[in-house]
Amino acid sequence: MEIILKISWAKRGDNVASPSFDEVNEMRKKFLDSYHEYWLENAFLTWQWWLLLITVICSWVVWWKVVDKRRIHLILNFGFLYGIISLILDMVGMNHLLWAYPIRLYWAFIPPLLPFDLSYLPIIFMLVYQRYGRKSTTKVLIAFTITSAIISFVVEPFFHWIGIYEMYKWKYIYSFPIYITLAFLVRFLVGIFERKQKVHE
């Protein structure tokens, strides 16, 4: 705390002194040490922690059983792109203190809720894409909209209710259009890859 106060309030004339990289790194180390202790005492092996672990494993098992193996590369491309973009957006939101995750599978995961970014979201949208990805734009829009509504207004509130997800400057309604837009963007990109692949065959 003493280091933080010195950095925050030290002045050079009328200007607030800028912290050095070493000072910032020292504060980061203190934060990580504190969060590690918090995770061990308040998150690790709690029922929420076990819920995350079990649902991640089960979701991938279910996905493997129902995925169309003939189109698996195309579907995985969709899921990979969706997951990567979700990771980026999650990190941006966390760094701007829009939301946080009190429960993580591992304390040092960045972003912390990897099960959501790299399991639940990609898997759900991969299966929707498998079923409706080649349908008309109207049917795809309906499918993505229903899916996004369920995630935004059912899944997210559930995670918030059980203490895995906390919102500070965010609302469920904000997530809704992002899920839809991201799904359409990824579908568009995968379509480009698919057409280029057919040209070279």
Side-chain angles (χ1 to χ4, degrees), residues 29-46 48-49 52 94 100-108 112 162-166 168:
K29 182 178 182 302
K30 288 180 179 294
F31 165 75
L32 290 176
D33 289 342
S34 297
Y35 189 82
H36 186 202
E37 183 178 348
Y38 162 82
W39 181 79
L40 288 173
E41 294 182 0
N42 300 280
F44 184 51
L45 299 183
T46 61
Q48 295 99 324
W49 185 89
L52 286 176
M94 286 251 342
Y101 304 103
I103 306 295
R104 309 182 184 186
L105 279 182
Y106 181 59
W107 69 276
I162 64 176
I164 292 178
Y165 173 49
E166 290 291 340
Y168 302 120

Side-chain angles (χ1 to χ4, degrees), residues 19-135:
S20 68
F21 178 79
D22 289 338
E23 290 172 326
V24 172
N25 209 38
E26 181 64 23
M27 287 189 290
R28 180 173 176 271
K29 182 178 182 302
K30 288 180 179 294
F31 165 75
L32 290 176
D33 289 342
S34 297
Y35 189 82
H36 186 202
E37 183 178 348
Y38 162 82
W39 181 79
L40 288 173
E41 294 182 0
N42 300 280
F44 184 51
L45 299 183
T46 61
W47 70 269
Q48 295 99 324
W49 185 89
W50 283 109
L51 178 66
L52 286 176
L53 180 64
I54 292 171
T55 52
V56 165
I57 296 172
C58 290
S59 60
W60 280 108
V61 171
V62 171
W63 176 84
W64 179 251
K65 288 182 176 295
V66 301
V67 69
D68 185 352
K69 306 299 191 302
R70 297 167 299 177
R71 301 169 55 206
I72 192 168
H73 294 297
L74 186 65
I75 295 169
L76 277 175
N77 284 339
F78 182 95
F80 175 77
L81 285 174
Y82 201 103
I84 292 299
I85 298 175
S86 295
L87 282 174
I88 295 172
L89 295 177
D90 203 359
M91 287 187 288
V92 171
M94 286 251 342
N95 288 334
H96 283 83
L97 302 180
L98 301 180
W99 57 74
Y101 304 103
I103 306 295
R104 309 182 184 186
L105 279 182
Y106 181 59
W107 69 276
F109 277 163
I110 300 177
L113 201 60
L114 286 179
F116 203 74
D117 294 322
L118 294 183
S119 290
Y120 307 144
L121 284 178
I123 287 174
I124 291 171
F125 278 100
M126 275 192 289
L127 295 179
V128 174
Y129 174 76
Q130 173 179 300
R131 178 69 176 84
Y132 296 99
R134 292 182 174 177
K135 304 286 186 180

Side-chain angles (χ1 to χ4, degrees), residues 121-187:
L121 284 178
I123 287 174
I124 291 171
F125 278 100
M126 275 192 289
L127 295 179
V128 174
Y129 174 76
Q130 173 179 300
R131 178 69 176 84
Y132 296 99
R134 292 182 174 177
K135 304 286 186 180
S136 66
T137 302
T138 301
K139 290 184 178 180
V140 173
L141 175 61
I142 293 173
F144 284 160
T145 299
I146 293 174
T147 304
S148 300
I150 293 173
I151 295 173
S152 300
F153 305 119
V154 177
V155 177
E156 284 192 8
F158 174 73
F159 273 75
H160 177 70
W161 179 60
I162 64 176
I164 292 178
Y165 173 49
E166 290 291 340
M167 296 182 299
Y168 302 120
K169 301 176 183 177
W170 197 254
K171 296 181 180 179
Y172 302 125
I173 190 64
Y174 298 161
S175 300
F176 179 56
I178 294 177
Y179 289 134
I180 299 174
T181 303
L182 182 54
F184 265 102
L185 173 62
V186 173
R187 175 178 177 262

